[in-house]
Amino acid sequence: MASKGTILLSAGGTGGHLFPAEALAHELTARGWSIHLSTDRRAGRYAGSFLAKEVHTIPAATIGGRNPVAFLKAAMTIWRGYREATKIINRIKPAAVVGFGGYPTLPPVFAATRRGIPTLIHEQNAVMGRANRALAARVDAIAGGFLSAADSVHGAKTVVTGNPVRPAVVVAADTPYTAPDGGPFRLLVFGGSQGAQYFSQAIPQAVGLLPEEYRARLAIVQQARPEDEADVTAAFGALGVSAEIAPFFTDLASRMASAHLVISRSGASTVSEIAVIGRPAVLVPYPYALDHDQAANAAALAAEGGAEVRAQKDLDADAIATLLRGYMDEPERLSAMAVAAKRAGKPDAARLLGDLTEAIASGMSVAEYKKGAGV
């Protein structure tokens, strides 16, 4: 099948930005498009399964703080990224450029808008991030994961698609939830690139407070930073608890599908994947997020009954131990949460975002797209 043309996807180098971009890459490749990815050097461990003809590493930097020297250095780096992105765009001639947030999105999407190339940004969170806010007025369309048209400053060109999930998540969603029956209780704990340290300290302490008969049932899979991995492993070992600890799990989707309960942060991709797979979760929003986007994401799933949200400041070892005992004693509650989470999931988000991308690439306006799609 002849290629329809080229689409350039641009995303920051974290899982939260790259996972939905990866899902769209699979969707568009299946439709006959050639995909290029622009990102930053952090993306190495996430981009291995990314369906891209080429991966372009673009200079980028975060603009933040009040230090004028740091601001100037960041601005110069972004300018270099813009020039590099311009060269890439001139060479590959994309039909559209799609941004997924993070400062590495700025140079390619801005360069595309300067050249009249159709552009789209996807906002995963319920609150728009800073890089997407900087681009929102310039792009042709905005796709919302948890962001609705009513909550968007640019509501007229915002379309709710949901957050695309990777193919592995769609496969994992076929695994039905089976509540624990008094036997092993599989607990999955992960915290993302910024949030794992808290869990590395709090979860072993909480497990140590559980009575022996509860500890004996636990089978824990937990993400920990490389510098914490040995300590967390040793802590569970001293308690006689079965635990698998690693800095990163390439098969996280299947780990979710196997879990009786998930305890995690509430980044947009995480919440979306939990919902699509349909697993009960305790969500602990990262408290230092500048826009408090994780709290808004978590609230959306909790409102559907699929998750319980707890603030980190209120969740010490005693509180976590109490939570665990409660869930281990109430399998019917876990089953009800799993059903509610699944009901809130959007497994067709990649298809919807693919439809919008192709519409924008063809020159269709958002108003025309909404009319045709009945949005």
Side-chain angles (χ1 to χ4, degrees), residues 7 9 23-35 354 357-358:
I7 302 288
L9 307 183
L24 181 60
H26 281 269
E27 178 70 21
L28 292 176
T29 297
R31 299 185 186 200
W33 291 91
S34 176
I35 302 301
T357 300
E358 287 193 316

Side-chain angles (χ1 to χ4, degrees), residues 16 154 196 211 247 328:
H154 304 278
M328 294 173 79

Side-chain angles (χ1 to χ4, degrees), residues 8-11 38-39 58 81-82 85-86 89 97 103-113 119:
L8 175 62
L9 307 183
S10 180
S38 69
T39 185
I58 302 290
Y82 166 76
T86 299
I89 287 171
V97 177
Y103 279 97
T105 295
L106 286 174
V109 176
F110 181 75
T113 64
T119 51

Side-chain angles (χ1 to χ4, degrees), residues 66-85:
R66 299 181 180 180
N67 185 320
V69 176
F71 178 87
L72 182 60
K73 288 176 66 175
M76 290 298 293
T77 300
I78 290 174
W79 172 248
R80 285 193 291 110
Y82 166 76
R83 295 181 64 180
E84 181 66 25

